Amino acid sequence: MKINVKILRYDPEKDRKAHWEVYPVEAQAGDRVLDVLNHVKWYVDPKLTFRRSCAHGICGSDAMLINGRNRLACKTLLQDVVKPGGTITVEPIRGLRVEKDLLVDMEPFFDAYRAVMPYFVNDEAPPTTERIQSPEAAERMDHGSNCILCACCTTSCPIYWVNGSYLGPAAIVQAHRFIFDTRDRAAEARMQILNQNTGVWRCRTAYNCTEACPRDIPITQLIEEVKRAVMYTQ
Ligand code: SF4
Ligand code: F3S
Ligand code: FES
């Protein structure tokens, strides 16, 4: 089928602001948006700039706004977003500085991630065997472990768009993963971080984050669990 791909282009070396470019492409309904972007880059304009790596929904590097919604280009089938003869729009995710075309500066996102201590802390003497967890306790951390740090959630949050100092849903999901890890001992320190004015209380349960997550993580529910934990430790 023939489709048009409308991409928001921006080259900091020559553009004062971003502008749309439309590329007619011959594609199959089962192709992914990433295939179409690769086609444009490989055969039409090699300057088109975007991130991608695994192409299988694992690395989290190709989050973009497709038809106005945050998605991974490698997980989005054309048949789900465009009809034959139709047009799809592709823009960079919002709330982060655009470096070129669909490529944004992810550093503020990873700064927020690092700020919540997303690593195991336990200074006790290690046991002689594994640190045992019940299946129920392990299940509690499953959601956070599934996160691929794609930023679809944080960059769909209206609070984050207005105030980039908000740590954002992805960082809170990571904090949740360690706060509720029965083997970890730094939950209180993380909750102090999340109790600051850049933390969980910024969330107004807009739900955009949950709807945007390509891993179906119930983000808003996890944020509410963290809010309750923070409230009861004060
Ligand atoms: Fe991406 Fe979901 Fe992780 Fe957010 S919680 S960064 S949307 S995988
Ligand atoms: Fe934002 Fe998600 Fe809360 S969209 S306001 S972090 S529920
Ligand atoms: Fe890795 Fe899409 S390229 S998640």
Side-chain angles (χ1 to χ4, degrees):
M1 63 177 181
K2 277 196 177 6
I3 59 160
N4 292 312
V5 191
K6 191 173 164 190
I7 305 174
L8 196 61
R9 303 290 308 264
Y10 171 67
D11 180 346
E13 290 184 357
K14 60 184 178 66
D15 298 331
R16 283 194 19 245
K17 56 180 190 157
H19 62 280
W20 292 101
E21 297 269 354
V22 181
Y23 304 91
V25 173
E26 182 67 43
Q28 305 293 320
D31 286 347
R32 304 158 308 166
V33 172
L34 181 61
D35 299 319
V36 169
L37 293 175
N38 281 336
H39 176 89
V40 173
K41 183 170 180 70
W42 294 339
Y43 302 109
V44 184
D45 182 357
K47 285 188 176 167
L48 177 64
T49 303
F50 53 95
R51 283 194 186 91
R52 81 284 194 204
S53 182
C54 71
H56 285 89
I58 300 299
C59 72
S61 62
D62 61 342
M64 44 192 84
L65 209 60
I66 298 168
N67 286 359
R69 197 185 129 188
N70 277 6
R71 310 171 203 245
L72 296 178
C74 68
K75 291 251 293 178
T76 306
L77 297 179
L78 293 184
Q79 66 198 23
D80 295 330
V81 287
V82 67
K83 291 191 167 51
T87 300
I88 50 170
T89 61
V90 187
E91 304 165 64
I93 46 179
R94 295 189 176 134
L96 294 167
R97 186 178 59 83
V98 177
E99 292 189 329
K100 193 176 179 205
D101 297 333
L102 305 171
L103 186 87
V104 298
D105 176 10
M106 293 290 284
E107 264 323 292
F109 174 79
F110 286 112
D111 284 346
Y113 166 65
R114 286 186 283 264
V116 300
M117 305 167 64
Y119 41 79
F120 184 65
V121 178
N122 187 325
D123 293 335
E124 295 161 7
T128 49
T129 61
E130 301 95 334
R131 295 177 198 266
I132 306 289
Q133 267 193 312
S134 69
E136 294 75 28
E139 203 177 311
R140 195 93 205 262
M141 319 168 333
D142 263 4
H143 292 307
S145 309
N146 280 333
C147 171
I148 54 172
L149 292 171
C150 66
C152 277
C153 54
T154 297
T155 61
S156 68
C157 173
I159 307 294
Y160 186 74
W161 296 336
V162 174
N163 187 342
S165 71
Y166 172 36
L167 291 169
I172 300 173
V173 164
Q174 289 305 312
H176 181 286
R177 181 249 172 275
F178 289 98
I179 286 170
F180 293 102
D181 185 333
T182 51
R183 305 160 300 176
D184 185 272
R185 298 291 176 264
E188 211 165 297
R190 288 189 197 91
M191 288 195 275
Q192 273 176 19
I193 294 164
L194 292 166
N195 196 28
Q196 291 167 9
N197 67 0
T198 53
V200 278
W201 307 116
R202 289 251 168 216
C203 169
R204 295 287 187 270
T205 55
Y207 275 95
N208 290 21
C209 54
T210 303
E211 282 166 15
C213 181
R215 307 286 288 183
D216 294 329
I217 297 172
I219 303 172
T220 312
Q221 178 195 314
L222 302 188
I223 296 174
E224 291 302 304
E225 286 176 17
V226 173
K227 282 181 186 171
R228 280 196 292 279
V230 172
M231 194 155 59
Y232 292 127
T233 52
Q234 297 317 302

